[in-house]
Amino acid sequence: MFSTRFSAFVGALILAPCVATAAPMIFSAAGSDAASIQAEVDAFRDALGALNPNEPENFKGGRRQIDWDGAPDIVSDPNPFPGDFFNRNFAPLARGIEFRPSENPKAGAPEQIAKGFQLSSTEASGEPVRFGFEKELDVFSPERLFAPTGGTIFDVVFFDPADQKTPAATRGLGIVFTNVSEVEDEKTKEKTTDAMVNFFLKGQDIGTDHPAFSVNAEASGPGGLSFIGVLFDEPTIVGATVQAGYIPFDTAKSGAGVVAMDDFIFGEPTVAAVPVPASALLLGSALFGGAAFARRRRRQAA
């Protein structure tokens, strides 16, 4: 996956000339339960601003979020979850976000790419909760979880909530993961984790380009929770490719190595500028201050 390479080369950030050069702020935490990451999640929410109504209209600033828990059983395990479920033209589904199997040939081998998505069941449904892995997977906001099926790599893209068609950008994206493990990078032999978010910025094409930079979630240990959030001063993020572990839950024989997600928190999607030509500037690692970027809790990365 391209993100493995960029985890070691995170200092090189591709920015279009129209993008502010201020480096993002990174929010990161991990622990055995929801309380372990609550303060970091709250800080990220506060930095984005107030929660906006889930209406098909535009708001200045603020945030939107998904906790999955209000979704009906018809789009939950054992049924598939439609990736455009939260990009509709009516409340409360007007969030301006879609989930898609990655089409970027650099994202990973075909067998690694997600084929679809699923939400875990509730106890009231009678289906196994947390995809049948109650000991290994935990929830941040009870009681549903989200996970890709058929693979573990997928894209997150943003749209104007008012028309659901126009590509948009956001100031920040934060994701809660569960059951993140420490692993060894096959190429560098360095310690990393099996949950990573690859960010694409204004002027980039998530379908063809390398990501601008990548950030790993911290290891939580079995059954724990991890949070990673990236925040810019202005709407800059146009999409992200997520790697949620290496073993799809729907083919796993046990919960070991399975990674699922809970809350997605993101800034109000704002209509993105027209992409610039491929001659966009390549800014060197000085922009980020090298190693200071890597997984620092709410620390300015410049």
Side-chain angles (χ1 to χ4, degrees):
M1 184 182 182
F2 49 37
S3 56
T4 300
R5 172 185 173 188
F6 271 75
S7 65
F9 190 54
V10 74
L13 172 62
I14 300 173
L15 288 175
C18 60
V19 177
T21 56
M25 186 175 291
I26 310 301
F27 296 70
S28 182
S32 61
D33 54 22
S36 302
I37 66 170
Q38 185 70 62
E40 200 76 350
V41 173
D42 289 344
F44 183 72
R45 286 172 172 162
D46 291 344
L48 283 174
L51 181 63
N52 293 331
N54 295 316
E55 298 287 345
E57 57 184 281
N58 302 118
F59 297 94
K60 184 176 181 179
R63 60 183 163 87
R64 303 203 185 208
Q65 62 187 41
I66 300 171
D67 62 16
W68 314 108
D69 304 316
D73 288 344
I74 195 171
V75 292
S76 304
D77 188 9
N79 303 309
F81 175 80
D84 63 351
F85 187 78
F86 285 108
N87 189 32
R88 305 298 176 88
N89 62 355
F90 55 90
L93 303 184
R95 313 284 173 96
I97 188 172
E98 289 190 10
F99 305 91
R100 301 174 174 179
S102 180
E103 297 181 355
N104 192 324
K106 305 177 184 72
E111 63 270 18
Q112 295 177 290
I113 305 302
K115 307 304 184 290
F117 304 97
Q118 203 163 66
L119 299 184
S120 64
S121 297
T122 63
E123 290 187 6
S125 71
E127 297 290 336
V129 299
R130 304 181 199 174
F131 305 117
F133 302 126
E134 291 184 68
K135 293 181 179 180
E136 293 85 0
L137 303 179
D138 198 3
V139 294
F140 178 71
S141 56
E143 62 185 312
R144 293 193 192 276
L145 293 171
F146 168 80
T149 59
T152 61
I153 299 173
F154 65 95
D155 289 346
V156 181
V157 289
F158 300 98
F159 293 91
D160 183 350
D163 70 9
Q164 304 85 49
K165 296 178 182 179
T166 306
T170 178
R171 286 184 60 213
L173 171 63
I175 305 174
V176 174
F177 293 90
T178 180
N179 202 40
V180 176
S181 301
E182 186 177 85
V183 296
E184 183 180 89
D185 187 287
E186 292 182 358
K187 294 182 178 179
T188 67
K189 305 302 180 183
E190 295 178 352
K191 295 295 184 182
T192 182
T193 65
D194 58 359
M196 183 182 292
V197 186
N198 307 276
F199 290 88
F200 294 80
L201 309 184
K202 280 185 177 181
Q204 290 191 281
D205 186 339
I206 194 172
T208 59
D209 292 339
H210 280 290
F213 63 95
S214 306
V215 185
N216 282 79
E218 297 181 43
S220 64
L225 293 167
S226 305
F227 175 72
I228 187 70
V230 169
L231 178 69
F232 283 87
D233 292 336
E234 301 292 337
T236 302
I237 302 167
V238 296
T241 296
V242 179
Q243 174 158 5
Y246 299 108
I247 305 172
F249 82 88
D250 54 325
T251 61
K253 298 188 184 327
S254 72
V258 172
V259 175
M261 289 145 285
D262 203 334
D263 294 29
F264 279 65
I265 306 164
F266 50 100
E268 176 70 14
T270 303
V271 173
V274 176
V276 300
S279 58
L281 297 179
L282 177 63
L283 302 182
S285 59
L287 187 65
F288 279 86
F293 179 83
R295 296 198 297 274
R296 299 294 177 89
R297 291 170 55 87
R298 275 200 332 273
R299 180 174 177 177
Q300 188 70 27

